[in-house]
Amino acid sequence: SQQGEEDPQALSIQEGENATMNCSYKTSINNLQWYRQNSGRGLVHLILIRSNEREKHSGRLRVTLDTSKKSSSLLITASRAADTASYFCATDYAGNMLTFGGGTRLMVKP
Amino acid sequence: NAGVTQTPKFQVLKTGQSMTLQCAQDMNHNSMYWYRQDPGMGLRLIYYSASEGTTDKGEVPNGYNVSRLNKREFSLRLESAAPSQTSVYFCASSERVQGAGELFFGEGSRLTVL
């Protein structure tokens, strides 16, 4: 399977703290994306980083990509209770398909 | 803008029954996808359609068929439902034809097969 794997599977932090989630994958990719899923809802796209990029920012989100280690990280700074959700990485390795990892469940306590 | 709309939102079937999940997008996207989500498994691709008139198998196509009815609509059919198909099904669309771009997801269809 080309599926990415997130680490940790679950993360619990206090509001205001930073949250870091990691994703590892197995083969060369065209791009890597991060998605958020609130309980009982569909996935929402957060950020896309291409294979020739090393870092990307969007608001309180910072994504890094290390193609030599086949890994990516998502950092959420100054977390809020509203950031409580599951976060998934998805890799594009074969063109038209995105392959998703199992996700990290983030709980941000007020 | 409605985005991606899936129907039905909930469905209970008996083993052997058939049903069709409907998906429509109003963003004029070229590509459409069907995923299933099981606890602890993330999302797995069932079928996708890179453009109107084409469909291709994903990771887990067995037991499913799809139809890209037109550019807006992409349906998923279970001909003879099995308990292993109990899952949450998500439809998604993307503007890109070549390469996987940003996906826009529907809210999901929760299917239980007894």
Side-chain angles (χ1 to χ4, degrees), chain A residues 3 31 33 35 37 40-43 45 50 88 92 95-98 100-102, chain B residues 33 35 37 41-42 45 48 90 97-103 105-107 110:
Chain A
Q3 192 176 36
N31 68 60
Q33 303 180 35
Y35 287 80
Q37 184 181 34
R41 305 297 299 273
L43 280 74
H45 180 265
R50 302 188 189 286
F88 296 88
D92 167 17
N96 289 326
M97 301 191 297
L98 273 187
F100 285 81
Chain B
Y33 306 81
Y35 286 89
Q37 184 177 32
M41 296 290 291
L45 183 63
Y48 68 100
F90 287 97
V97 175
Q98 291 294 328
E102 173 186 352
L103 296 189
F105 282 84
E107 291 296 304
R110 286 147 185 83

PDB file of all heavy atoms in Angstrom, chain A residues 3 31 33 35 37 40-43 45 50 88 92 95-98 100-102, chain B residues 33 35 37 41-42 45 48 90 97-103 105-107 110:
ATOM      1  N   GLN A   3      -0.136   4.028   1.203  1.00  0.00           N
ATOM      2  CA  GLN A   3      -0.795   4.890   2.171  1.00  0.00           C
ATOM      3  C   GLN A   3       0.199   5.597   3.071  1.00  0.00           C
ATOM      4  O   GLN A   3       1.158   4.999   3.541  1.00  0.00           O
ATOM      5  CB  GLN A   3      -1.736   4.025   3.021  1.00  0.00           C
ATOM      6  CG  GLN A   3      -2.698   4.787   3.877  1.00  0.00           C
ATOM      7  CD  GLN A   3      -3.641   3.838   4.608  1.00  0.00           C
ATOM      8  OE1 GLN A   3      -3.251   2.762   5.012  1.00  0.00           O
ATOM      9  NE2 GLN A   3      -4.884   4.232   4.766  1.00  0.00           N
ATOM     10  N   ASN A  31       2.764  15.499  -4.897  1.00  0.00           N
ATOM     11  CA  ASN A  31       2.452  16.471  -3.864  1.00  0.00           C
ATOM     12  C   ASN A  31       1.894  15.762  -2.638  1.00  0.00           C
ATOM     13  O   ASN A  31       1.558  14.571  -2.688  1.00  0.00           O
ATOM     14  CB  ASN A  31       1.472  17.549  -4.371  1.00  0.00           C
ATOM     15  CG  ASN A  31       0.082  17.014  -4.659  1.00  0.00           C
ATOM     16  OD1 ASN A  31      -0.603  16.488  -3.783  1.00  0.00           O
ATOM     17  ND2 ASN A  31      -0.353  17.145  -5.911  1.00  0.00           N
ATOM     18  N   GLN A  33      -0.849  16.520   0.678  1.00  0.00           N
ATOM     19  CA  GLN A  33      -1.887  17.429   1.149  1.00  0.00           C
ATOM     20  C   GLN A  33      -2.292  17.070   2.573  1.00  0.00           C
ATOM     21  O   GLN A  33      -2.192  15.917   2.975  1.00  0.00           O
ATOM     22  CB  GLN A  33      -3.106  17.344   0.220  1.00  0.00           C
ATOM     23  CG  GLN A  33      -2.796  17.639  -1.234  1.00  0.00           C
ATOM     24  CD  GLN A  33      -4.005  17.545  -2.135  1.00  0.00           C
ATOM     25  OE1 GLN A  33      -5.118  17.876  -1.738  1.00  0.00           O
ATOM     26  NE2 GLN A  33      -3.798  17.091  -3.371  1.00  0.00           N
ATOM     27  N   TYR A  35      -5.613  17.441   5.306  1.00  0.00           N
ATOM     28  CA  TYR A  35      -7.052  17.677   5.409  1.00  0.00           C
ATOM     29  C   TYR A  35      -7.465  17.605   6.872  1.00  0.00           C
ATOM     30  O   TYR A  35      -6.843  16.900   7.679  1.00  0.00           O
ATOM     31  CB  TYR A  35      -7.839  16.618   4.627  1.00  0.00           C
ATOM     32  CG  TYR A  35      -7.757  16.775   3.123  1.00  0.00           C
ATOM     33  CD1 TYR A  35      -6.641  16.326   2.425  1.00  0.00           C
ATOM     34  CD2 TYR A  35      -8.792  17.365   2.410  1.00  0.00           C
ATOM     35  CE1 TYR A  35      -6.556  16.484   1.051  1.00  0.00           C
ATOM     36  CE2 TYR A  35      -8.723  17.516   1.032  1.00  0.00           C
ATOM     37  CZ  TYR A  35      -7.605  17.075   0.368  1.00  0.00           C
ATOM     38  OH  TYR A  35      -7.525  17.232  -1.001  1.00  0.00           O
ATOM     39  N   GLN A  37     -10.950  16.885   9.407  1.00  0.00           N
ATOM     40  CA  GLN A  37     -12.306  16.332   9.438  1.00  0.00           C
ATOM     41  C   GLN A  37     -12.878  16.522  10.833  1.00  0.00           C
ATOM     42  O   GLN A  37     -12.384  15.934  11.795  1.00  0.00           O
ATOM     43  CB  GLN A  37     -12.317  14.839   9.077  1.00  0.00           C
ATOM     44  CG  GLN A  37     -13.724  14.252   9.013  1.00  0.00           C
ATOM     45  CD  GLN A  37     -13.728  12.780   8.674  1.00  0.00           C
ATOM     46  OE1 GLN A  37     -12.832  12.030   9.051  1.00  0.00           O
ATOM     47  NE2 GLN A  37     -14.758  12.347   7.933  1.00  0.00           N
ATOM     48  N   GLY A  40     -18.185  13.617  12.257  1.00  0.00           N
ATOM     49  CA  GLY A  40     -19.417  13.451  11.502  1.00  0.00           C
ATOM     50  C   GLY A  40     -19.519  14.274  10.239  1.00  0.00           C
ATOM     51  O   GLY A  40     -20.596  14.329   9.635  1.00  0.00           O
ATOM     52  N   ARG A  41     -18.439  14.900   9.831  1.00  0.00           N
ATOM     53  CA  ARG A  41     -18.473  15.775   8.651  1.00  0.00           C
ATOM     54  C   ARG A  41     -17.540  15.269   7.565  1.00  0.00           C
ATOM     55  O   ARG A  41     -16.781  14.302   7.747  1.00  0.00           O
ATOM     56  CB  ARG A  41     -18.055  17.198   9.057  1.00  0.00           C
ATOM     57  CG  ARG A  41     -18.851  17.808  10.188  1.00  0.00           C
ATOM     58  CD  ARG A  41     -20.319  17.993   9.838  1.00  0.00           C
ATOM     59  NE  ARG A  41     -20.525  18.874   8.701  1.00  0.00           N
ATOM     60  CZ  ARG A  41     -20.619  20.186   8.795  1.00  0.00           C
ATOM     61  NH1 ARG A  41     -20.500  20.789   9.971  1.00  0.00           N
ATOM     62  NH2 ARG A  41     -20.836  20.916   7.713  1.00  0.00           N
ATOM     63  N   GLY A  42     -17.571  15.919   6.429  1.00  0.00           N
ATOM     64  CA  GLY A  42     -16.640  15.603   5.351  1.00  0.00           C
ATOM     65  C   GLY A  42     -15.277  16.230   5.601  1.00  0.00           C
ATOM     66  O   GLY A  42     -15.100  17.021   6.517  1.00  0.00           O
ATOM     67  N   LEU A  43     -14.312  15.844   4.785  1.00  0.00           N
ATOM     68  CA  LEU A  43     -12.959  16.374   4.928  1.00  0.00           C
ATOM     69  C   LEU A  43     -12.852  17.745   4.271  1.00  0.00           C
ATOM     70  O   LEU A  43     -13.497  18.007   3.239  1.00  0.00           O
ATOM     71  CB  LEU A  43     -11.937  15.430   4.282  1.00  0.00           C
ATOM     72  CG  LEU A  43     -11.530  14.212   5.108  1.00  0.00           C
ATOM     73  CD1 LEU A  43     -12.637  13.179   5.118  1.00  0.00           C
ATOM     74  CD2 LEU A  43     -10.231  13.627   4.577  1.00  0.00           C
ATOM     75  N   HIS A  45      -9.970  20.553   2.872  1.00  0.00           N
ATOM     76  CA  HIS A  45      -8.584  20.728   2.482  1.00  0.00           C
ATOM     77  C   HIS A  45      -7.938  21.861   3.280  1.00  0.00           C
ATOM     78  O   HIS A  45      -8.527  22.931   3.448  1.00  0.00           O
ATOM     79  CB  HIS A  45      -8.514  21.048   0.984  1.00  0.00           C
ATOM     80  CG  HIS A  45      -7.140  21.251   0.456  1.00  0.00           C
ATOM     81  ND1 HIS A  45      -6.561  22.495   0.345  1.00  0.00           N
ATOM     82  CD2 HIS A  45      -6.227  20.367   0.015  1.00  0.00           C
ATOM     83  CE1 HIS A  45      -5.345  22.360  -0.150  1.00  0.00           C
ATOM     84  NE2 HIS A  45      -5.122  21.077  -0.364  1.00  0.00           N
ATOM     85  N   ARG A  50       4.041  20.831  -2.715  1.00  0.00           N
ATOM     86  CA  ARG A  50       4.557  20.082  -3.852  1.00  0.00           C
ATOM     87  C   ARG A  50       5.900  19.436  -3.492  1.00  0.00           C
ATOM     88  O   ARG A  50       6.581  19.864  -2.564  1.00  0.00           O
ATOM     89  CB  ARG A  50       4.692  20.999  -5.066  1.00  0.00           C
ATOM     90  CG  ARG A  50       3.388  21.654  -5.461  1.00  0.00           C
ATOM     91  CD  ARG A  50       3.466  22.404  -6.768  1.00  0.00           C
ATOM     92  NE  ARG A  50       2.256  23.179  -6.983  1.00  0.00           N
ATOM     93  CZ  ARG A  50       1.086  22.657  -7.332  1.00  0.00           C
ATOM     94  NH1 ARG A  50       0.963  21.350  -7.519  1.00  0.00           N
ATOM     95  NH2 ARG A  50       0.026  23.431  -7.493  1.00  0.00           N
ATOM     96  N   PHE A  88      -5.653  14.446   8.430  1.00  0.00           N
ATOM     97  CA  PHE A  88      -5.180  13.406   7.527  1.00  0.00           C
ATOM     98  C   PHE A  88      -4.168  13.971   6.538  1.00  0.00           C
ATOM     99  O   PHE A  88      -4.362  15.075   6.017  1.00  0.00           O
ATOM    100  CB  PHE A  88      -6.348  12.829   6.711  1.00  0.00           C
ATOM    101  CG  PHE A  88      -7.385  12.122   7.532  1.00  0.00           C
ATOM    102  CD1 PHE A  88      -8.447  12.813   8.084  1.00  0.00           C
ATOM    103  CD2 PHE A  88      -7.303  10.751   7.737  1.00  0.00           C
ATOM    104  CE1 PHE A  88      -9.413  12.165   8.843  1.00  0.00           C
ATOM    105  CE2 PHE A  88      -8.264  10.086   8.482  1.00  0.00           C
ATOM    106  CZ  PHE A  88      -9.311  10.796   9.040  1.00  0.00           C
ATOM    107  N   ASP A  92      -0.147  12.171  -3.374  1.00  0.00           N
ATOM    108  CA  ASP A  92      -0.398  11.981  -4.796  1.00  0.00           C
ATOM    109  C   ASP A  92       0.871  11.365  -5.380  1.00  0.00           C
ATOM    110  O   ASP A  92       1.869  12.050  -5.573  1.00  0.00           O
ATOM    111  CB  ASP A  92      -0.705  13.327  -5.444  1.00  0.00           C
ATOM    112  CG  ASP A  92      -0.677  13.255  -6.963  1.00  0.00           C
ATOM    113  OD1 ASP A  92      -0.734  12.128  -7.516  1.00  0.00           O
ATOM    114  OD2 ASP A  92      -0.593  14.319  -7.596  1.00  0.00           O
ATOM    115  N   GLY A  95      -0.571  10.195  -9.960  1.00  0.00           N
ATOM    116  CA  GLY A  95      -1.273  11.078 -10.877  1.00  0.00           C
ATOM    117  C   GLY A  95      -2.627  11.483 -10.382  1.00  0.00           C
ATOM    118  O   GLY A  95      -2.774  12.457  -9.677  1.00  0.00           O
ATOM    119  N   ASN A  96      -3.651  10.708 -10.719  1.00  0.00           N
ATOM    120  CA  ASN A  96      -5.012  11.161 -10.451  1.00  0.00           C
ATOM    121  C   ASN A  96      -5.596  10.741  -9.120  1.00  0.00           C
ATOM    122  O   ASN A  96      -6.743  11.033  -8.836  1.00  0.00           O
ATOM    123  CB  ASN A  96      -5.932  10.653 -11.558  1.00  0.00           C
ATOM    124  CG  ASN A  96      -5.678  11.372 -12.853  1.00  0.00           C
ATOM    125  OD1 ASN A  96      -5.361  12.549 -12.850  1.00  0.00           O
ATOM    126  ND2 ASN A  96      -5.810  10.667 -13.954  1.00  0.00           N
ATOM    127  N   MET A  97      -4.822  10.040  -8.304  1.00  0.00           N
ATOM    128  CA  MET A  97      -5.389   9.526  -7.067  1.00  0.00           C
ATOM    129  C   MET A  97      -4.679  10.098  -5.853  1.00  0.00           C
ATOM    130  O   MET A  97      -3.476  10.266  -5.839  1.00  0.00           O
ATOM    131  CB  MET A  97      -5.270   8.001  -7.027  1.00  0.00           C
ATOM    132  CG  MET A  97      -5.963   7.288  -8.162  1.00  0.00           C
ATOM    133  SD  MET A  97      -6.042   5.512  -7.876  1.00  0.00           S
ATOM    134  CE  MET A  97      -4.316   5.110  -7.872  1.00  0.00           C
ATOM    135  N   LEU A  98      -5.450  10.370  -4.807  1.00  0.00           N
ATOM    136  CA  LEU A  98      -4.898  10.717  -3.515  1.00  0.00           C
ATOM    137  C   LEU A  98      -5.058   9.523  -2.586  1.00  0.00           C
ATOM    138  O   LEU A  98      -6.142   8.951  -2.507  1.00  0.00           O
ATOM    139  CB  LEU A  98      -5.635  11.907  -2.904  1.00  0.00           C
ATOM    140  CG  LEU A  98      -5.175  13.304  -3.263  1.00  0.00           C
ATOM    141  CD1 LEU A  98      -5.932  14.319  -2.417  1.00  0.00           C
ATOM    142  CD2 LEU A  98      -3.684  13.471  -3.074  1.00  0.00           C
ATOM    143  N   PHE A 100      -4.873   8.331   1.343  1.00  0.00           N
ATOM    144  CA  PHE A 100      -4.957   8.929   2.674  1.00  0.00           C
ATOM    145  C   PHE A 100      -4.367   8.028   3.743  1.00  0.00           C
ATOM    146  O   PHE A 100      -4.430   6.803   3.664  1.00  0.00           O
ATOM    147  CB  PHE A 100      -6.421   9.203   3.034  1.00  0.00           C
ATOM    148  CG  PHE A 100      -6.996  10.389   2.317  1.00  0.00           C
ATOM    149  CD1 PHE A 100      -7.451  10.266   1.021  1.00  0.00           C
ATOM    150  CD2 PHE A 100      -7.080  11.613   2.938  1.00  0.00           C
ATOM    151  CE1 PHE A 100      -7.982  11.360   0.338  1.00  0.00           C
ATOM    152  CE2 PHE A 100      -7.615  12.716   2.280  1.00  0.00           C
ATOM    153  CZ  PHE A 100      -8.055  12.591   0.978  1.00  0.00           C
ATOM    154  N   GLY A 101      -3.817   8.658   4.765  1.00  0.00           N
ATOM    155  CA  GLY A 101      -3.388   7.946   5.947  1.00  0.00           C
ATOM    156  C   GLY A 101      -4.544   7.732   6.907  1.00  0.00           C
ATOM    157  O   GLY A 101      -5.678   8.145   6.643  1.00  0.00           O
ATOM    158  N   GLY A 102      -4.247   7.095   8.054  1.00  0.00           N
ATOM    159  CA  GLY A 102      -5.274   6.776   9.024  1.00  0.00           C
ATOM    160  C   GLY A 102      -5.691   7.944   9.904  1.00  0.00           C
ATOM    161  O   GLY A 102      -6.685   7.855  10.622  1.00  0.00           O
TER     162      GLY A 102
ATOM    163  N   TYR B  33     -14.577  11.455  -7.324  1.00  0.00           N
ATOM    164  CA  TYR B  33     -14.029  10.305  -6.602  1.00  0.00           C
ATOM    165  C   TYR B  33     -15.058   9.746  -5.623  1.00  0.00           C
ATOM    166  O   TYR B  33     -15.875  10.491  -5.078  1.00  0.00           O
ATOM    167  CB  TYR B  33     -12.799  10.737  -5.777  1.00  0.00           C
ATOM    168  CG  TYR B  33     -11.721  11.433  -6.569  1.00  0.00           C
ATOM    169  CD1 TYR B  33     -11.832  12.783  -6.886  1.00  0.00           C
ATOM    170  CD2 TYR B  33     -10.584  10.745  -6.989  1.00  0.00           C
ATOM    171  CE1 TYR B  33     -10.848  13.425  -7.612  1.00  0.00           C
ATOM    172  CE2 TYR B  33      -9.589  11.374  -7.716  1.00  0.00           C
ATOM    173  CZ  TYR B  33      -9.726  12.727  -8.020  1.00  0.00           C
ATOM    174  OH  TYR B  33      -8.734  13.367  -8.733  1.00  0.00           O
ATOM    175  N   TYR B  35     -14.795   7.508  -2.072  1.00  0.00           N
ATOM    176  CA  TYR B  35     -13.978   6.909  -1.016  1.00  0.00           C
ATOM    177  C   TYR B  35     -14.890   6.242   0.006  1.00  0.00           C
ATOM    178  O   TYR B  35     -16.036   6.629   0.182  1.00  0.00           O
ATOM    179  CB  TYR B  35     -13.163   7.967  -0.278  1.00  0.00           C
ATOM    180  CG  TYR B  35     -11.979   8.529  -1.024  1.00  0.00           C
ATOM    181  CD1 TYR B  35     -12.111   9.636  -1.853  1.00  0.00           C
ATOM    182  CD2 TYR B  35     -10.710   7.976  -0.869  1.00  0.00           C
ATOM    183  CE1 TYR B  35     -11.023  10.173  -2.520  1.00  0.00           C
ATOM    184  CE2 TYR B  35      -9.603   8.499  -1.525  1.00  0.00           C
ATOM    185  CZ  TYR B  35      -9.770   9.597  -2.348  1.00  0.00           C
ATOM    186  OH  TYR B  35      -8.681  10.120  -2.995  1.00  0.00           O
ATOM    187  N   GLN B  37     -14.719   5.248   4.256  1.00  0.00           N
ATOM    188  CA  GLN B  37     -13.966   5.485   5.481  1.00  0.00           C
ATOM    189  C   GLN B  37     -14.420   4.517   6.552  1.00  0.00           C
ATOM    190  O   GLN B  37     -15.592   4.502   6.937  1.00  0.00           O
ATOM    191  CB  GLN B  37     -14.146   6.922   5.978  1.00  0.00           C
ATOM    192  CG  GLN B  37     -13.294   7.248   7.202  1.00  0.00           C
ATOM    193  CD  GLN B  37     -13.416   8.689   7.635  1.00  0.00           C
ATOM    194  OE1 GLN B  37     -14.450   9.335   7.487  1.00  0.00           O
ATOM    195  NE2 GLN B  37     -12.328   9.236   8.172  1.00  0.00           N
ATOM    196  N   MET B  41      -8.967   3.165   9.534  1.00  0.00           N
ATOM    197  CA  MET B  41      -8.424   2.813   8.204  1.00  0.00           C
ATOM    198  C   MET B  41      -8.198   4.015   7.327  1.00  0.00           C
ATOM    199  O   MET B  41      -7.714   3.885   6.235  1.00  0.00           O
ATOM    200  CB  MET B  41      -9.370   1.840   7.493  1.00  0.00           C
ATOM    201  CG  MET B  41      -9.517   0.514   8.178  1.00  0.00           C
ATOM    202  SD  MET B  41      -8.034  -0.483   8.056  1.00  0.00           S
ATOM    203  CE  MET B  41      -8.033  -0.875   6.317  1.00  0.00           C
ATOM    204  N   GLY B  42      -8.578   5.188   7.791  1.00  0.00           N
ATOM    205  CA  GLY B  42      -8.476   6.331   6.899  1.00  0.00           C
ATOM    206  C   GLY B  42      -9.464   6.192   5.753  1.00  0.00           C
ATOM    207  O   GLY B  42     -10.446   5.451   5.839  1.00  0.00           O
ATOM    208  N   LEU B  45      -9.796   4.674  -1.624  1.00  0.00           N
ATOM    209  CA  LEU B  45     -10.410   5.035  -2.885  1.00  0.00           C
ATOM    210  C   LEU B  45     -11.090   3.827  -3.512  1.00  0.00           C
ATOM    211  O   LEU B  45     -10.472   2.769  -3.683  1.00  0.00           O
ATOM    212  CB  LEU B  45      -9.356   5.600  -3.834  1.00  0.00           C
ATOM    213  CG  LEU B  45      -9.849   6.086  -5.188  1.00  0.00           C
ATOM    214  CD1 LEU B  45     -10.809   7.265  -5.036  1.00  0.00           C
ATOM    215  CD2 LEU B  45      -8.666   6.481  -6.055  1.00  0.00           C
ATOM    216  N   TYR B  48     -12.674   6.289  -9.327  1.00  0.00           N
ATOM    217  CA  TYR B  48     -12.614   7.692  -9.643  1.00  0.00           C
ATOM    218  C   TYR B  48     -12.881   7.898 -11.134  1.00  0.00           C
ATOM    219  O   TYR B  48     -12.834   6.959 -11.933  1.00  0.00           O
ATOM    220  CB  TYR B  48     -11.265   8.308  -9.239  1.00  0.00           C
ATOM    221  CG  TYR B  48     -10.069   7.832 -10.032  1.00  0.00           C
ATOM    222  CD1 TYR B  48      -9.551   8.600 -11.070  1.00  0.00           C
ATOM    223  CD2 TYR B  48      -9.438   6.637  -9.715  1.00  0.00           C
ATOM    224  CE1 TYR B  48      -8.439   8.184 -11.778  1.00  0.00           C
ATOM    225  CE2 TYR B  48      -8.333   6.202 -10.426  1.00  0.00           C
ATOM    226  CZ  TYR B  48      -7.836   6.988 -11.447  1.00  0.00           C
ATOM    227  OH  TYR B  48      -6.739   6.556 -12.150  1.00  0.00           O
ATOM    228  N   PHE B  90     -17.747   8.697   1.012  1.00  0.00           N
ATOM    229  CA  PHE B  90     -17.555  10.099   0.675  1.00  0.00           C
ATOM    230  C   PHE B  90     -17.323  10.258  -0.815  1.00  0.00           C
ATOM    231  O   PHE B  90     -16.517   9.545  -1.416  1.00  0.00           O
ATOM    232  CB  PHE B  90     -16.348  10.684   1.418  1.00  0.00           C
ATOM    233  CG  PHE B  90     -16.591  10.901   2.882  1.00  0.00           C
ATOM    234  CD1 PHE B  90     -16.167   9.958   3.808  1.00  0.00           C
ATOM    235  CD2 PHE B  90     -17.237  12.048   3.313  1.00  0.00           C
ATOM    236  CE1 PHE B  90     -16.397  10.154   5.162  1.00  0.00           C
ATOM    237  CE2 PHE B  90     -17.468  12.250   4.669  1.00  0.00           C
ATOM    238  CZ  PHE B  90     -17.049  11.298   5.587  1.00  0.00           C
ATOM    239  N   VAL B  97      -7.558  17.588 -14.071  1.00  0.00           N
ATOM    240  CA  VAL B  97      -7.711  16.358 -14.838  1.00  0.00           C
ATOM    241  C   VAL B  97      -6.467  15.498 -14.666  1.00  0.00           C
ATOM    242  O   VAL B  97      -6.555  14.293 -14.423  1.00  0.00           O
ATOM    243  CB  VAL B  97      -7.928  16.665 -16.342  1.00  0.00           C
ATOM    244  CG1 VAL B  97      -7.970  15.364 -17.144  1.00  0.00           C
ATOM    245  CG2 VAL B  97      -9.215  17.442 -16.526  1.00  0.00           C
ATOM    246  N   GLN B  98      -5.299  16.113 -14.787  1.00  0.00           N
ATOM    247  CA  GLN B  98      -4.039  15.400 -14.601  1.00  0.00           C
ATOM    248  C   GLN B  98      -3.460  15.739 -13.241  1.00  0.00           C
ATOM    249  O   GLN B  98      -3.295  16.879 -12.895  1.00  0.00           O
ATOM    250  CB  GLN B  98      -3.034  15.799 -15.682  1.00  0.00           C
ATOM    251  CG  GLN B  98      -3.405  15.303 -17.056  1.00  0.00           C
ATOM    252  CD  GLN B  98      -3.372  13.789 -17.155  1.00  0.00           C
ATOM    253  OE1 GLN B  98      -2.577  13.143 -16.482  1.00  0.00           O
ATOM    254  NE2 GLN B  98      -4.230  13.231 -17.965  1.00  0.00           N
ATOM    255  N   GLY B  99      -3.172  14.715 -12.450  1.00  0.00           N
ATOM    256  CA  GLY B  99      -2.617  14.965 -11.127  1.00  0.00           C
ATOM    257  C   GLY B  99      -3.701  15.249 -10.119  1.00  0.00           C
ATOM    258  O   GLY B  99      -4.740  15.798 -10.435  1.00  0.00           O
ATOM    259  N   ALA B 100      -3.462  14.855  -8.897  1.00  0.00           N
ATOM    260  CA  ALA B 100      -4.464  15.010  -7.839  1.00  0.00           C
ATOM    261  C   ALA B 100      -4.341  16.384  -7.198  1.00  0.00           C
ATOM    262  O   ALA B 100      -3.382  16.667  -6.502  1.00  0.00           O
ATOM    263  CB  ALA B 100      -4.290  13.925  -6.788  1.00  0.00           C
ATOM    264  N   GLY B 101      -5.298  17.226  -7.441  1.00  0.00           N
ATOM    265  CA  GLY B 101      -5.322  18.539  -6.829  1.00  0.00           C
ATOM    266  C   GLY B 101      -6.136  18.524  -5.554  1.00  0.00           C
ATOM    267  O   GLY B 101      -6.443  17.476  -4.989  1.00  0.00           O
ATOM    268  N   GLU B 102      -6.534  19.693  -5.106  1.00  0.00           N
ATOM    269  CA  GLU B 102      -7.340  19.828  -3.904  1.00  0.00           C
ATOM    270  C   GLU B 102      -8.697  19.148  -4.114  1.00  0.00           C
ATOM    271  O   GLU B 102      -9.364  19.373  -5.126  1.00  0.00           O
ATOM    272  CB  GLU B 102      -7.555  21.299  -3.601  1.00  0.00           C
ATOM    273  CG  GLU B 102      -8.523  21.580  -2.478  1.00  0.00           C
ATOM    274  CD  GLU B 102      -8.797  23.075  -2.319  1.00  0.00           C
ATOM    275  OE1 GLU B 102      -8.101  23.873  -2.987  1.00  0.00           O
ATOM    276  OE2 GLU B 102      -9.700  23.419  -1.556  1.00  0.00           O
ATOM    277  N   LEU B 103      -9.082  18.314  -3.153  1.00  0.00           N
ATOM    278  CA  LEU B 103     -10.374  17.645  -3.221  1.00  0.00           C
ATOM    279  C   LEU B 103     -11.407  18.388  -2.373  1.00  0.00           C
ATOM    280  O   LEU B 103     -11.101  18.842  -1.268  1.00  0.00           O
ATOM    281  CB  LEU B 103     -10.270  16.207  -2.718  1.00  0.00           C
ATOM    282  CG  LEU B 103      -9.385  15.235  -3.494  1.00  0.00           C
ATOM    283  CD1 LEU B 103      -9.588  13.823  -2.978  1.00  0.00           C
ATOM    284  CD2 LEU B 103      -9.673  15.294  -4.972  1.00  0.00           C
ATOM    285  N   PHE B 105     -14.973  17.656  -0.592  1.00  0.00           N
ATOM    286  CA  PHE B 105     -15.739  16.490  -0.161  1.00  0.00           C
ATOM    287  C   PHE B 105     -17.189  16.837   0.149  1.00  0.00           C
ATOM    288  O   PHE B 105     -17.513  17.949   0.602  1.00  0.00           O
ATOM    289  CB  PHE B 105     -15.123  15.890   1.106  1.00  0.00           C
ATOM    290  CG  PHE B 105     -13.895  15.071   0.854  1.00  0.00           C
ATOM    291  CD1 PHE B 105     -12.660  15.672   0.752  1.00  0.00           C
ATOM    292  CD2 PHE B 105     -13.986  13.689   0.702  1.00  0.00           C
ATOM    293  CE1 PHE B 105     -11.517  14.915   0.511  1.00  0.00           C
ATOM    294  CE2 PHE B 105     -12.860  12.925   0.465  1.00  0.00           C
ATOM    295  CZ  PHE B 105     -11.625  13.538   0.367  1.00  0.00           C
ATOM    296  N   GLY B 106     -18.056  15.833  -0.059  1.00  0.00           N
ATOM    297  CA  GLY B 106     -19.411  15.898   0.454  1.00  0.00           C
ATOM    298  C   GLY B 106     -19.423  15.546   1.932  1.00  0.00           C
ATOM    299  O   GLY B 106     -18.380  15.244   2.515  1.00  0.00           O
ATOM    300  N   GLU B 107     -20.621  15.556   2.513  1.00  0.00           N
ATOM    301  CA  GLU B 107     -20.754  15.315   3.948  1.00  0.00           C
ATOM    302  C   GLU B 107     -20.820  13.838   4.299  1.00  0.00           C
ATOM    303  O   GLU B 107     -20.837  13.488   5.470  1.00  0.00           O
ATOM    304  CB  GLU B 107     -21.994  16.032   4.477  1.00  0.00           C
ATOM    305  CG  GLU B 107     -21.870  17.551   4.480  1.00  0.00           C
ATOM    306  CD  GLU B 107     -20.786  18.020   5.417  1.00  0.00           C
ATOM    307  OE1 GLU B 107     -20.826  17.679   6.614  1.00  0.00           O
ATOM    308  OE2 GLU B 107     -19.866  18.728   4.956  1.00  0.00           O
ATOM    309  N   ARG B 110     -23.817   7.427   5.261  1.00  0.00           N
ATOM    310  CA  ARG B 110     -23.553   6.373   6.247  1.00  0.00           C
ATOM    311  C   ARG B 110     -24.406   5.168   5.932  1.00  0.00           C
ATOM    312  O   ARG B 110     -25.625   5.222   6.041  1.00  0.00           O
ATOM    313  CB  ARG B 110     -23.807   6.911   7.650  1.00  0.00           C
ATOM    314  CG  ARG B 110     -22.713   7.849   8.093  1.00  0.00           C
ATOM    315  CD  ARG B 110     -23.168   8.970   8.991  1.00  0.00           C
ATOM    316  NE  ARG B 110     -22.062   9.888   9.280  1.00  0.00           N
ATOM    317  CZ  ARG B 110     -21.678  10.878   8.482  1.00  0.00           C
ATOM    318  NH1 ARG B 110     -22.320  11.114   7.364  1.00  0.00           N
ATOM    319  NH2 ARG B 110     -20.658  11.640   8.807  1.00  0.00           N
TER     320      ARG B 110
END
